[in-house]
Amino acid sequence: MAKKTVLAIGIEPSFVDFSAFPGLTAELMTSYVGAEIEQLRAMGYEADSCLIDLGDTAEAVAAAALGAKHYDCVVIGAGLREPRERLHLFERIINLVHLAAPQTRICFNTTPADTAEAVQRSVAP
């Protein structure tokens, strides 16, 4: 049986304004993202990470990742939904996922540390 595939799309930590996320740093966020991808793999998923910038190449990078293979689930990171200034980028990424992978489940994490939980709500390994 083939493993369920997951793509986690989030903001590259070097682009994040951490004043909106008290207690987080680029290093901690990178660690959380890596740990969650590894946890998904340990749970039986085939998981990939797609880190994007704040707009210059965000859609092209996400489109390339979505086009690389079929994904059963796409996780949209909390950093794309907050702060409010990212609303347009969030909308563009959601619409891109909808167009590029219309049968793919979409889920949302609330922090970089609960991605596996978000995936489990949407698709079993």
Side-chain angles (χ1 to χ4, degrees):
M1 177 190 259
K3 291 182 178 184
K4 297 289 183 172
T5 54
V6 176
L7 178 64
I9 300 176
I11 302 294
E12 164 62 47
S14 64
F15 291 104
V16 174
D17 174 4
F18 288 100
S19 65
F21 303 100
L24 275 180
T25 64
E27 296 77 19
L28 189 55
M29 188 171 150
T30 299
S31 176
Y32 280 136
V33 169
E36 288 294 301
I37 294 297
E38 287 307 315
Q39 181 178 359
L40 285 167
R41 290 175 180 158
M43 294 167 62
Y45 295 97
E46 183 180 325
D48 298 315
S49 178
C50 174
L51 298 175
I52 61 174
D53 64 20
L54 297 176
D56 291 338
T57 65
E59 289 174 87
V61 170
L66 287 163
K69 65 182 170 188
H70 165 79
Y71 286 100
D72 296 297
C73 181
V74 173
V75 182
I76 306 294
L80 273 167
R81 298 185 311 277
E82 293 291 334
R84 183 179 211 143
E85 297 81 42
R86 294 217 185 100
L87 177 63
H88 294 138
L89 176 60
F90 174 63
E91 288 175 337
R92 291 193 320 265
I93 296 300
I94 289 292
N95 284 313
L96 177 67
V97 172
H98 176 67
L99 290 171
Q103 300 303 315
T104 298
R105 304 288 303 230
I106 298 173
C107 64
F108 304 96
N109 65 9
T110 60
T111 74
D114 68 1
T115 299
E117 181 181 326
V119 169
Q120 285 184 299
R121 289 191 307 264
S122 295
V123 64

